[in-house]
Amino acid sequence: MANKEKLMTRGTALNLTDRQQSFADLGAETFDVLIIGAGITGCGIARDAAMRGLRTVLIDAGDIAAGTSSRSSKLIHGGLRYLAQGQVGIVREAAIERRTLRRIAPHLSLTNSMVIPTSSKKATTGFRAVMWTFEKLSKVDKSERHVVWDSKQLQTEEPLLIKGKHAGAVVYPEYLTDDSRLTLANARSAVGHGALVVTYAAARKLIMEDGAATGAEICSTLPGHNQQTMVRAKTIVNAAGPWLDVVRQLEDQNAKKKLQLTKGIHLVFPYKRLPVQHTIIWNAIDGRSIFAVRRGEFVYIGTTDTFYAEPEYRPEITREDIDYLLDSANQIFDVEPLTTKDVVSLWSGLRPLLGDEGKSPSEISRRNEVLTGPGGVKAIAGGKLTSYRSMASRLVDLCEKQLGRKPCPAPTEKETLPGGGFEISFAELIAELESFGLSQVEAERAARLYGSEALELFAKGCGPAVEAAFAVTHEGALTLEDYWIRRSTRACFDDNGGLDALEPAAEVMAALLGWTDEERKRQIETCRQQREQDLELLKTL
Ligand SMILES: Cc1cc2nc3c(=O)[nH]c(=O)nc-3n(C[C@H](O)[C@H](O)[C@H](O)COP(=O)(O)OP(=O)(O)OC[C@H]3O[C@@H](n4cnc5c(N)ncnc54)[C@H](O)[C@@H]3O)c2cc1C
């Protein structure tokens, strides 16, 4: 392959190993924008602001994407179901964003056919009408318009569906992503444009001067580290996702809660146990839509949508949540009924939605809104992974106005994200990786997670040690969990929950991060315990 060197995105390495320096940098100047929260919302804003030339600082109480942004369904939606709710604006925006992501991060927006089985010819006609409206509104390319399968074709294409139950299917392309890596790619791009990023740094207090918020007190949350500092900024953005109201109350302790959190869980199965060929959407036992998505050697099913009271990193998963997904799957697939014994991993997350009194969880709008607090802090609530870029642009316009500047949009849709600089097709990328000795499964996984950067990264071999070293030197990982869950995604999408990767990854990370042997063991134990808790949960059900 010609000029491999060019494919590695330069200048976007995120190395956070020097904690003293990170905290010294936080306190060293007055920034134009301080962003609290490094989920997709905060990272998208940081990238946009930094591209506009604003001195930008992004902090997170945990890792990048430690909150909802690693716990979604990992779909870049056209937003079809919002049409039924009359939310035309969201649909149009989502469709545009889908196309943009395709350009700037092709490996994080892989096309996959969505199959909606229909119960009757009338239902097919109804869906087609929705699809036509969607395609017209969203200016969907001819090659990506929907097609209809009759029952015979559906049976051939998806033999796993119970026979005789469906009149056919409406089929259209949607995109699959990896949420935590998309978030990380935005953080790295922000760094490439000069932003300062510090993780495991929580905003505990806002500094108020003459009624205006002018900064925040930041404390390290990394075990064994006790740095504290003050960061000063001319504008402050609250992008704390499910913790939005907690941060709003740092500015105004009487601020009324705006969020209504809803929990969603996903179950992961081995592909061999549920060999679906496409992404399938169907109605769950209560009529909501759920789906099954193939990802390499695994298939995941999601999601639930139930109210949840308080923000948490690992929201509790209940027996009802799991039964709901299993029962819904068992009523459509012609396989030996799925049970908890088949589940290889699972995750839960919280949607930070704007409260809509009297509405059920799935009826609550996914709209986003900016709330400006009495001290001028801009809190951005609601939204979706899919539309992060346009949300960020609107928010940074407001920051520029607050700074007394004329908003000048950044060309975020033109510059590729790290790993997105493809000079070859995705299939060619996989083939190239196979030529290094990677198996087909490894090559597909590497291409999907690392994009064009995989060519340099895995040229001399692949595996947890290589990935973990890159996670520290280029991707800002500071704990083994950062690597295991959000960089490598092995915790959910690897045999045995990726436990085999922990030792080799921890060894490399210990050397790079200066861990003692005791600390290395503690890091491994923390991950093992998480896995144990999940397995215990599945065993007791
Ligand atoms: C089950 C589920 C499925 C979904 N599926 C999809 C999908 O398929 N497609 C799609 O487009 N969208 C989907 N979404 C929605 C999407 O995932 C969210 O809208 C998005 O991830 C929210 O990102 P965020 O950055 O606003 O919040 P988060 O990712 O939660 O980020 C907030 C960050 O703020 C940090 N923080 C909190 N308090 C502080 C503090 N005091 N100081 C510093 N940092 C702080 C947290 O550590 C966290 O990292 C789904 C959501 C859920 C729950």
Side-chain angles (χ1 to χ4, degrees):
M1 166 138 185
N3 203 1
K4 266 179 221 165
E5 277 296 303
K6 261 172 80 181
L7 292 175
M8 178 76 98
T9 316
R10 299 286 173 200
T12 56
L14 176 60
N15 185 326
L16 300 177
T17 46
D18 192 342
R19 292 289 283 175
Q20 297 293 353
Q21 190 61 51
S22 289
F23 272 73
D25 290 346
L26 283 175
E29 63 183 291
T30 299
F31 292 89
D32 290 323
V33 195
L34 160 66
I35 301 148
I36 301 171
I40 190 66
T41 309
C43 292
I45 293 168
R47 177 175 188 246
D48 190 304
M51 277 177 99
R52 294 189 200 203
L54 299 178
R55 280 299 294 149
T56 303
V57 56
L58 171 68
I59 56 152
D60 199 285
D63 183 24
I64 291 161
T68 305
S69 299
S70 55
R71 298 165 173 279
S72 80
S73 303
K74 309 180 197 302
L75 300 172
I76 299 298
H77 295 275
L80 198 58
R81 86 183 172 91
Y82 306 119
L83 264 191
Q85 299 168 347
Q87 299 187 50
V88 175
I90 291 191
V91 178
R92 193 180 291 129
E93 180 177 85
I96 295 170
E97 288 310 309
R98 230 169 51 138
R99 275 199 295 275
T100 303
L101 261 184
R102 199 52 193 276
R103 275 200 313 276
I104 65 173
H107 61 306
L108 293 170
S109 47
L110 297 172
T111 313
N112 192 10
S113 289
M114 284 267 190
V115 176
I116 312 178
T118 51
S119 54
S120 64
K121 286 212 169 116
K122 197 170 158 210
T124 308
T125 313
F127 269 119
R128 294 201 79 179
V130 175
M131 286 307 310
W132 276 318
T133 317
F134 167 71
E135 287 162 357
K136 205 162 180 217
L137 272 177
S138 314
K139 300 196 175 83
V140 172
D141 201 76
K142 259 193 186 149
S143 63
E144 299 216 320
R145 296 205 185 139
H146 76 278
V147 294
V148 171
W149 291 345
D150 62 15
S151 58
K152 210 168 143 203
Q153 191 175 357
L154 177 61
Q155 204 56 63
T156 313
E157 299 273 357
E158 276 303 345
L160 223 57
L161 292 171
I162 291 176
K163 288 185 192 60
K165 210 174 168 175
H166 302 107
V170 175
V171 183
Y172 68 101
E174 281 282 33
Y175 299 167
L176 306 183
T177 192
D178 183 86
D179 46 8
S180 46
R181 295 200 61 89
L182 178 63
T183 305
L184 175 65
N186 276 278
R188 288 182 54 198
S189 174
V191 168
H193 285 278
L196 172 65
V197 175
V198 184
T199 57
Y200 293 96
R204 295 273 190 243
K205 216 171 159 190
L206 288 186
I207 303 162
M208 305 295 286
E209 285 170 329
D210 299 328
T214 55
E217 282 183 21
I218 313 290
C219 301
S220 174
T221 59
L222 199 62
H225 293 253
N226 56 3
Q227 294 91 352
Q228 292 191 14
T229 192
M230 269 210 256
V231 57
R232 302 241 165 218
K234 295 175 197 156
T235 58
I236 300 178
V237 175
N238 169 0
W243 295 267
L244 188 99
D245 287 328
V246 180
V247 174
R248 283 178 61 239
Q249 284 167 358
L250 297 181
E251 183 187 10
D252 171 12
Q253 57 185 15
N254 299 317
K256 274 202 184 139
K257 282 193 175 184
K258 288 284 182 180
L259 289 188
Q260 174 69 73
L261 303 176
T262 80
K263 180 183 69 174
I265 78 146
H266 294 80
L267 304 179
V268 184
F269 301 89
Y271 170 70
K272 281 189 189 130
R273 184 66 177 86
L274 192 66
V276 291
Q277 305 302 312
H278 309 84
T279 298
I280 303 179
I281 311 183
W282 73 100
N283 283 343
I285 39 184
D286 62 352
R288 288 187 55 245
S289 340
I290 59 170
F291 45 75
V293 183
R294 179 174 182 188
R295 175 161 155 151
E297 294 303 284
F298 301 90
V299 169
Y300 59 93
I301 291 186
T303 168
T304 54
D305 201 353
T306 49
F307 289 128
Y308 204 79
E310 296 296 330
E312 278 177 63
Y313 284 96
R314 277 165 56 89
E316 192 193 355
I317 298 177
T318 64
R319 177 176 190 121
E320 289 78 53
D321 296 330
I322 295 181
D323 282 349
Y324 171 85
L325 292 181
L326 290 176
D327 292 348
S328 300
N330 286 330
Q331 71 172 11
I332 188 167
F333 295 118
D334 189 10
V335 291
E336 179 74 19
L338 297 164
T339 71
T340 49
K341 290 199 179 71
D342 299 306
V343 178
V344 291
S345 56
L346 69 176
W347 75 87
S348 61
L350 296 175
R351 299 176 185 84
L353 305 178
L354 278 158
D356 255 348
E357 241 165 73
K359 295 212 164 155
S360 72
S362 43
E363 280 169 350
I364 299 180
S365 166
R366 269 53 177 168
R367 74 182 192 279
N368 60 76
E369 201 175 299
V370 179
L371 312 160
T372 304
V377 176
K378 297 188 170 20
I380 175 133
K384 294 196 60 70
L385 198 68
T386 306
S387 38
Y388 81 91
R389 210 188 48 86
S390 55
M391 273 166 70
S393 176
R394 281 198 298 274
L395 198 278
V396 183
D397 279 355
L398 295 177
C399 291
E400 285 207 290
K401 280 185 194 153
Q402 195 176 343
L403 289 165
R405 293 168 47 140
K406 190 168 172 277
C408 180
T412 53
E413 76 286 10
K414 297 216 170 92
E415 190 181 293
T416 56
L417 289 168
F422 277 70
E423 293 178 355
I424 50 179
S425 73
F426 192 68
E428 284 168 330
L429 177 58
I430 294 175
E432 183 87 8
L433 289 165
E434 282 182 53
S435 76
F436 297 164
L438 274 69
S439 71
Q440 209 264 328
V441 170
E442 286 168 341
E444 205 239 89
R445 172 181 172 276
R448 180 192 279 273
L449 296 184
Y450 297 90
S452 55
E453 288 188 327
L455 287 174
E456 206 167 315
L457 188 56
F458 300 119
K460 295 193 187 93
C462 70
V466 178
E467 293 169 3
F470 189 69
V472 174
T473 58
H474 285 69
E475 300 183 330
L478 290 177
T479 72
L480 186 57
E481 185 196 295
D482 296 352
Y483 162 73
W484 177 57
I485 298 183
R486 290 170 291 272
R487 307 296 186 286
S488 73
T489 73
R490 288 185 186 274
C492 281
F493 302 104
D494 198 358
D495 292 335
N496 196 19
L499 288 186
D500 293 349
L502 294 180
E503 289 278 357
E507 197 178 318
V508 171
M509 292 182 79
L512 290 167
L513 287 155
W515 293 341
T516 58
D517 199 43
E518 196 185 333
E519 177 60 11
R520 185 185 62 79
K521 286 183 185 146
R522 193 192 67 76
Q523 294 277 343
I524 295 174
E525 201 40 40
T526 306
C527 298
R528 284 212 174 114
Q529 273 173 13
Q530 280 199 37
R531 174 78 182 152
E532 273 305 309
Q533 281 167 13
D534 287 350
L535 293 178
E536 271 307 308
L537 171 74
L538 291 167
K539 246 191 266 166
T540 52
L541 296 176

